[in-house]
Amino acid sequence: KEETERERERESLQGKLKQSLEEAEAVRRDRDAMQEHFSSTCARLEEQVNHLRDTISHKEAAVHEANESLSQKDLMLQQMQHKMGVYAEQLKNHKERAQMAEQAQRDAEVTLQQLAQDADDVLHGA
């Protein structure tokens, strides 16, 4: 009777041990699957981070290039504005000289007419 009870107890313990081993194996498989999933997720995220870093680097380079271009265009615009100011001043000076020349020509014509009148008066005895 004692032997039968021990036999049952041993079988019960063996069953529990087998069940515990099966549970431990299932936990190990789940852990391995989770580790694999975690590793692949980490690798994918690392790849995405590297891609984003490359994208940011390219965008920063493009922004730097655009800033350089804008700086050059701004400088060219300032130079053009300066030249336009110089040309405007030169045009104003030329216009003033042309007006003075026109006035001098009108004055000369008046003087010539007066001289012609004076000469005519002298010739005709006035």
Side-chain angles (χ1 to χ4, degrees):
K1 186 176 180 181
E2 221 175 274
E3 248 179 72
T4 308
E5 184 134 344
R6 276 189 184 176
E7 189 69 27
R8 272 192 241 140
E9 195 176 312
R10 188 174 63 81
E11 286 175 6
S12 173
L13 287 174
Q14 282 180 339
K16 288 179 182 178
L17 178 61
K18 184 178 177 185
Q19 184 180 358
S20 292
L21 289 173
E22 288 171 357
E23 289 173 0
E25 180 62 24
V27 167
R28 186 190 60 73
R29 281 193 306 268
D30 288 346
R31 183 203 66 210
D32 289 350
M34 288 172 66
Q35 281 181 334
E36 179 62 32
H37 177 71
F38 178 76
S39 293
S40 67
T41 300
C42 284
R44 186 172 37 82
L45 289 174
E46 189 173 334
E47 187 177 311
Q48 289 175 348
V49 165
N50 287 335
H51 176 72
L52 288 172
R53 282 185 180 141
D54 288 346
T55 300
I56 288 169
S57 178
H58 286 35
K59 300 249 185 222
E60 285 175 339
V63 165
H64 178 71
E65 190 175 313
N67 280 339
E68 287 292 318
S69 177
L70 283 174
S71 294
Q72 289 175 355
K73 287 178 182 176
D74 187 46
L75 181 60
M76 288 170 50
L77 182 62
Q78 289 175 5
Q79 290 171 345
M80 288 297 289
Q81 287 173 333
H82 176 72
K83 284 180 183 179
M84 288 173 65
V86 169
Y87 293 150
E89 187 64 31
Q90 288 175 349
L91 183 62
K92 179 181 164 195
N93 291 339
H94 288 315
K95 185 178 177 184
E96 288 173 357
R97 279 190 243 145
Q99 288 173 343
M100 289 180 356
E102 287 173 4
Q103 184 61 44
Q105 183 179 354
R106 283 193 297 273
D107 291 348
E109 287 173 0
V110 168
T111 301
L112 280 175
Q113 285 177 351
Q114 188 64 47
L115 283 172
Q117 184 66 43
D118 290 349
D120 195 40
D121 289 346
V122 167
L123 286 176
H124 293 93

